[in-house]
Amino acid sequence: MAIPHNRQELLDAINTSYARLQQDLARVPAGLAREPVLDGHVAGTRMSVCDLLAYLVGWNELVLHWHAQLAAGKSIGEIAFPAEGFTWNQLGVLAQRFYADHAHLDMAQLLQRLALARQQLVALVEASDDGQLYGQPWYKQYSMGRMIQFNTSSPYANARTRLRAWLKTL
């Protein structure tokens, strides 16, 4: 899918990649949801489908957290990116934190959390115009729309690729 350059393209990318991912997630046998069957986000590690969902939930909720901080009056410069206590070169460790933070949830609960986070992100995009989303840098050189895309449609598509490869082995 092409990189979105406006509000409608971003909404289409989020909704299309999410719908496709949902189709593949529906094919996951319930008994295998917690088995480490996928390559992890850190080289040499394995993760489960639930861990993959936790990763997606973690990033979606993190984007919502960034925007909640802005709504509460913080400036971009006051927000810890990507997350409090993490730098951009520690994304594998952050992924493992997402797995641990959501380890108590089953697949159905993770799917609900992801659906809710995606719904809230879609509402955020719908409440923004092209100028807000793509008209100026939002974080460093990246526009707000690009930062949302980096953490929604792109990881949904990546997750789908991982899932489909594994599902072919069943």
Side-chain angles (χ1 to χ4, degrees), residues 37-108:
V37 294
L38 304 169
D39 288 334
H41 290 98
V42 173
T45 65
R46 304 290 287 168
M47 69 176 167
S48 68
V49 173
C50 285
D51 292 333
L52 180 61
L53 284 167
Y55 175 83
L56 298 173
V57 168
W59 277 107
N60 281 204
E61 291 180 352
L62 194 53
V63 173
L64 292 167
H65 179 67
W66 298 337
H67 287 275
Q69 290 179 79
L70 287 171
K74 281 193 174 183
S75 70
I76 282 286
E78 295 173 303
I79 297 173
F81 285 95
E84 191 67 43
F86 293 90
T87 61
W88 289 110
N89 65 353
Q90 297 175 305
L91 296 182
V93 179
L94 181 57
Q96 291 178 323
R97 189 189 85 188
F98 292 150
Y99 307 162
D101 287 351
H102 298 87
H104 65 286
L105 300 175
D106 65 24
M107 187 166 170

Side-chain angles (χ1 to χ4, degrees), residues 138-160:
W138 184 78
Y139 173 75
K140 299 197 179 200
Q141 75 270 25
Y142 300 108
S143 68
M144 182 173 130
R146 188 76 163 128
M147 288 295 287
I148 292 171
Q149 181 254 326
F150 281 150
N151 296 292
T152 57
S153 62
S154 287
Y156 297 165
N158 180 280
R160 184 171 185 246

